[in-house]
Amino acid sequence: LDMEQVFRRKDRICVENRQGIKFLLESSHVTLISGEAKVSADKTVTVAGSDGSCVIKAGTVILATGSVPVMPPWAIPSVCMDSTKALADVHIPDSIAIIGAGVIGMEFAFLYAAYKSRVHVIEFMDHMLGDTDPEAAEVIHRAATRRGIRIDLSSRVTRILETESHEAV
C-alpha cells in the first residue's frame, strides 16, 4: 500500500469538493463572506473580514462554524496527534489508541483498522457515538468488534507516558 498515493488522492478529492461546493453556492446566488462574526441577541450578525466589516440582519441565524480539535493538557505532542494531524500524516502505525468514541474517533478507528493497525478506542462515557441512536451505535459497535477494534467504555485517560523509543503507553 502506497500511503503517499492514498494521501495525494485524499488531498485532490478535498480540493475538488471545496471547489464544487463553492461553485454550487455561487451558482445558487449565495454570497460567501469570510471573517470573524459576532451574533447579537436581535439576530444581527457583524462580520469583520480582510475586506472590512459588514452587518447582516437575519430572521434566523444558523451557526455552522466547523470544528477545531482540542488536545487535553496531558497529551504529549511528540506521541499524540489530533484529527487534523492524523489526516496529514502518511505514516500508519502498527497500533494506535484513539481517545474518544465519538463520530470522528470511530471514523479514524475504522480507517486505521482497514490499514491493519491494532486499534484501541477509549471512551469516558458508558456508550459510544454521543447522542446517536443507541440501536445505531450498537450496530457500529458490533462492526468495530468484528474488525478487531477494541473499545473500552466508561474509561478515563489521565496521563500518557512516552517510552525511550518515542512511543506512547
Side-chain angles (χ1 to χ4, degrees):
L1 182 66
D2 182 348
M3 288 309 297
E4 289 187 17
Q5 180 66 20
V6 169
F7 276 76
R8 276 195 299 274
R9 182 172 189 270
K10 182 258 313 171
D11 291 341
R12 188 185 78 247
I13 290 169
C14 287
V15 168
E16 289 171 0
N17 284 344
R18 279 192 293 274
Q19 290 171 342
I21 290 169
K22 185 176 180 183
F23 172 78
L24 289 172
L25 290 170
E26 289 172 351
S27 65
S28 297
H29 309 291
V30 173
T31 303
L32 299 175
I33 302 170
S34 297
E36 186 173 316
K38 181 184 273 188
V39 182
S40 301
D42 66 350
K43 299 179 185 173
T44 300
V45 181
T46 305
V47 182
S50 58
D51 298 339
S53 297
C54 68
V55 177
I56 303 162
K57 179 73 174 164
T60 303
V61 176
I62 298 173
L63 299 176
T65 60
S67 64
V68 176
V70 176
M71 293 293 274
W74 43 257
I76 301 171
S78 57
V79 294
C80 297
M81 62 181 158
D82 60 26
S83 57
T84 301
K85 184 177 177 188
L87 286 171
D89 188 358
V90 298
H91 171 71
I92 300 296
D94 292 330
S95 64
I96 188 166
I98 297 174
I99 314 302
V103 172
I104 294 171
M106 292 310 298
E107 286 176 348
F108 277 105
F110 279 92
L111 174 78
Y112 282 107
Y115 289 127
K116 307 302 182 208
S117 288
R118 285 187 329 275
V119 179
H120 183 175
V121 178
I122 304 166
E123 171 58 52
F124 180 75
M125 294 192 297
D126 64 353
H127 61 282
M128 55 188 279
L129 297 173
D131 293 333
T132 301
D133 177 76
E135 289 180 34
E138 183 55 35
V139 169
I140 300 299
H141 193 279
R142 284 194 307 271
T145 302
R146 281 193 305 273
R147 287 171 175 77
I149 298 169
R150 177 179 168 185
I151 301 172
D152 287 330
L153 303 174
S154 301
S155 300
R156 182 177 188 170
V157 176
T158 57
R159 68 183 174 145
I160 293 178
L161 304 175
E162 182 177 6
T163 66
E164 288 181 17
S165 61
H166 305 290
E167 294 180 328
V169 292

